[in-house]
Amino acid sequence: MVRHGASKHPLHDVAIVGAWNTRQALRLDEHTSESITLEAIRGVLDDAGMTPSDIDGISAASGSRGAGMSSGHLAYLMGIGPAWTGNAAGGGINAVLEAAQAIAAGECHTVLIAAGSAGVYTERASTAPWTRPGNEFVVCWGLFTAAEFALIARRHMHLYGTRPEHLATVAATIRNNGHINPDAVYTGRGPFTPADILESRMVTDPFHLLDCAMTSEGGCALVLTTAERAGNFKRPPAYILGGARDTFGPAYHFPPTWDLTGWVGREAARKSFSMAGIGPEDVDVCEFYDPFSFEIIRQFEAFGFCGEGEGGDFIMNGTIELGGRYPICTDGGLMSFSHGGATVQLVQRVITGVHQLWGQSGNRQVPDAKIVMCTNGGAGALFTHVLLLGKERP
Amino acid sequence: MTSSPQIPLPAPTRLSQPFWDACQRGQLLVQRCSDCDGLTFIPQPACKHCLSPRLEWTEVSGKGTVYSYTVVWRPQTPAFPVPYVVAIVDLDEGCQMMTNVVDCDPADVHVGMRVAAHFRRMSDEITLPYFRPER
């Protein structure tokens, strides 16, 4: 519960009233990034009981590398100008906090955030285009996102004795959530045991194939508005309790060393909890970003749910399963629900968090979920963004 | 591992050109700050310790220790023959460098392993600083 006496924060006057996913699939051959983004926009407006005239700000997280539609293009197409437009590179929680700050500051009152990607990943002999860095001190070493995160995980294993079984338990838990989620790309693919994860082929040691996120296609959208206006729409408000962003450098450029970036997100979490007047023990659902299994262990440590180096043991014994104390990635996450491009999956951590607060998570609903922690990024990418959402107005 | 000539090669910039030129001579260079004496790598327009612009290139030994590593089995592109070892090396002088560890069984690579730079000519313009077990 939100404790009384927490200082009033401007973000507490902002709520999420729209959260929508299109169909997600390994490929959406009938779609482009533009068409799937527009489908997400139509979907979220209909679900929230809105029309474009309710919107006066827009933030489009383009699918990938120029694909998708810009904020300005959408403002024109939807005829909602003069509109506020967001510039949050990468979308996701970055876009949510940028929009919430603009609303809290009075620059606009209702912001649509949309993302979509389809038809971007076509060269399947290589890893996905958004995972392949291009700069001169990385490109020649065969680096890609999974290897960057593996360098982080390996160092943690060396320092703290974290074991492949710990990583596999995380992956099995997330994939089992997706297994029972009818909307997940990998619905019905399980159930998985940690042994199943360890038996999948090695991709980049210590990550087996099933320790890694998938690549898929899809669209999604969110709508933020003022607490005052939130009652005008069909869905109940999910209030912003706090949020903050940590960055140590550009992703996939410098060596991702544990000493530099291992605790990225710690300050963001501290700030977020402080804004909300709560602590880790108050969180009901952990919609953490799960590009790779180890990232979940790292985040529990960085955010203060457990001590440094204790994350491996912390996640054992059902703690992170549905029905456990800190259920994670309740839709199946990036591993099983969807990783719909370069940025779609960033937004989807927030969407699933909102659905939990709405009680709309079906067979994966966490009973009486009141506070959700959503995250984006990871140590291998040198950034972590944090967002705390609540069912009750703080 | 053998390096395929088709792997993507670095495109040097004005800032980094001296580093790549030195690799062709079999030398490993980093930047040393004339104000605070600190070392900077990868090449930057200012010292990463004190932000001074007074940086000069200095040769390092090319000897170091594996800080972290990963053995890759699913290549970034088919140009990289698997398995290959991506590593971060702590140079003895204090910088960290991304590289591939070559000329050994990938299963033998470990955190703390002693390694030394090993230059391989890839094109007329580019020689890459790989690392291999110290001899």
Side-chain angles (χ1 to χ4, degrees):
Chain A
M1 293 294 294
V2 178
R3 293 191 196 99
H4 294 290
S7 61
K8 183 69 178 164
H9 190 279
L11 291 180
H12 295 174
D13 292 327
V14 181
I16 298 175
V17 293
W20 179 261
N21 288 309
T22 68
R23 185 171 77 88
Q24 312 289 310
L26 290 179
R27 297 205 202 188
L28 294 168
D29 287 331
E30 71 279 22
H31 275 290
T32 62
S33 295
E34 288 82 359
S35 72
I36 198 66
T37 301
L38 289 164
E39 185 169 308
I41 290 171
R42 287 189 294 266
V44 77
L45 293 177
D46 181 59
D47 186 67
M50 292 180 161
T51 66
S53 63
D54 292 310
I55 307 290
D56 72 341
I58 191 152
S59 182
S62 298
S64 175
R65 309 283 188 271
M69 302 179 78
S70 69
S71 301
H73 189 177
L74 282 167
Y76 176 84
L77 183 63
M78 296 171 68
I80 62 170
W84 174 89
T85 52
N87 293 301
I93 290 169
N94 212 14
V96 169
L97 289 175
E98 182 195 38
Q101 289 166 9
I103 291 168
E107 202 182 343
C108 51
H109 56 70
T110 305
V111 175
L112 168 67
I113 295 172
S117 181
V120 174
Y121 181 22
T122 54
E123 190 199 334
R124 295 277 168 159
S126 301
T127 60
W130 53 84
T131 71
R132 282 183 267 139
N135 90 78
E136 61 180 320
F137 288 97
V138 172
V139 68
C140 52
W141 306 125
L143 261 287
F144 56 111
T145 306
E148 301 258 2
F149 278 83
L151 290 167
I152 290 282
R154 169 65 59 196
R155 186 69 187 178
H156 190 274
M157 295 167 86
H158 171 77
L159 288 173
Y160 299 113
T162 309
R163 300 191 309 274
E165 292 75 16
H166 293 134
L167 277 58
T169 298
V170 171
T173 302
I174 294 171
R175 288 178 181 280
N176 286 339
N177 294 347
H179 165 65
I180 62 168
N181 179 359
D183 296 327
V185 170
Y186 286 152
T187 185
R189 287 289 189 98
F192 294 91
T193 65
D196 294 328
I197 308 301
L198 294 171
E199 285 167 14
S200 63
R201 67 181 166 86
M202 193 65 89
V203 170
T204 178
D205 183 20
F207 296 148
H208 298 259
L209 179 68
L210 296 180
D211 284 300
C212 304
M214 71 168 88
T215 53
S216 55
E217 301 185 334
C220 63
L222 288 168
V223 180
L224 281 68
T225 192
T226 61
E228 285 67 31
R229 286 172 183 260
N232 299 344
F233 306 110
K234 282 198 325 206
R235 293 291 189 180
Y239 293 97
I240 294 180
L241 307 181
R245 292 165 276 187
D246 283 357
T247 296
F248 279 107
Y252 318 128
H253 213 90
F254 302 100
T257 58
W258 176 265
D259 296 310
L260 173 68
T261 187
W263 304 115
V264 65
R266 174 178 277 174
E267 277 307 303
R270 277 183 187 156
K271 291 171 188 169
S272 300
F273 284 130
S274 173
M275 290 176 195
I278 63 173
E281 67 280 6
D282 297 303
V283 174
D284 298 313
V285 187
C286 299
E287 293 299 344
F288 291 176
Y289 200 67
D290 59 321
F292 305 97
S293 52
F294 171 72
E295 259 303 305
I296 298 295
I297 292 169
R298 190 196 71 80
Q299 289 177 77
F300 277 118
E301 294 180 19
F303 301 157
F305 287 78
C306 61
E308 294 181 6
E310 297 173 359
D313 289 337
F314 178 81
I315 58 88
M316 301 296 278
N317 304 315
T319 303
I320 58 173
E321 294 173 7
L322 292 169
R325 177 62 188 86
Y326 296 110
I328 60 166
C329 308
T330 59
D331 55 1
L334 281 55
M335 294 188 185
S336 182
F337 172 66
S338 189
H339 187 310
T343 60
V344 175
Q345 74 288 347
L346 296 165
V347 183
Q348 285 171 328
R349 292 298 85 226
V350 181
I351 289 176
T352 300
V354 172
H355 288 174
Q356 282 286 350
L357 296 177
W358 285 353
Q360 295 290 314
S361 292
N363 58 358
R364 292 148 292 106
Q365 180 63 45
V366 174
D368 203 27
K370 286 193 174 64
I371 294 178
V372 178
M373 186 171 189
C374 307
T375 65
N376 285 172
L382 276 65
F383 79 94
T384 294
H385 299 163
V386 173
L387 181 69
L388 289 167
L389 299 174
K391 191 171 187 173
E392 296 168 12
R393 187 167 182 183
Chain B
M1 127 182 177
T2 53
S3 299
S4 159
Q6 299 94 337
I7 68 168
L9 295 178
T13 63
R14 186 173 163 186
L15 177 65
S16 67
Q17 191 67 56
F19 174 85
W20 295 114
D21 288 346
C23 284
Q24 290 196 289
R25 302 190 302 267
Q27 294 177 307
L28 204 56
L29 301 189
V30 301
Q31 294 167 299
R32 180 187 297 281
C33 179
S34 300
D35 288 322
C36 79
D37 222 31
L39 300 183
T40 292
F41 186 84
I42 65 176
Q44 297 296 314
C47 171
K48 66 181 284 193
H49 308 283
C50 74
L51 218 57
S52 164
R54 299 179 62 230
L55 294 174
E56 293 175 0
W57 292 100
T58 185
E59 185 175 0
V60 288
S61 65
K63 296 187 189 308
T65 305
V66 172
Y67 170 89
S68 191
Y69 71 96
T70 178
V71 183
V72 178
W73 293 89
R74 192 279 192 243
Q76 185 219 49
T77 72
F80 290 90
V82 295
Y84 59 94
V85 181
V86 175
I88 298 168
V89 171
D90 277 327
L91 295 178
D92 288 350
E93 291 82 359
C95 291
Q96 288 181 318
M97 199 169 276
M98 199 101 81
T99 190
N100 289 164
V101 176
V102 298
D103 289 352
C104 66
D105 184 342
D108 291 337
V109 177
H110 56 273
V111 175
M113 182 185 197
R114 290 291 298 166
V115 290
H118 165 62
F119 295 90
R120 287 185 178 173
R121 186 177 177 82
M122 309 301 289
S123 72
D124 287 347
E125 293 80 28
I126 295 294
T127 294
L128 291 179
Y130 290 86
F131 280 73
R132 63 185 180 189
E134 193 176 46
R135 292 172 182 170

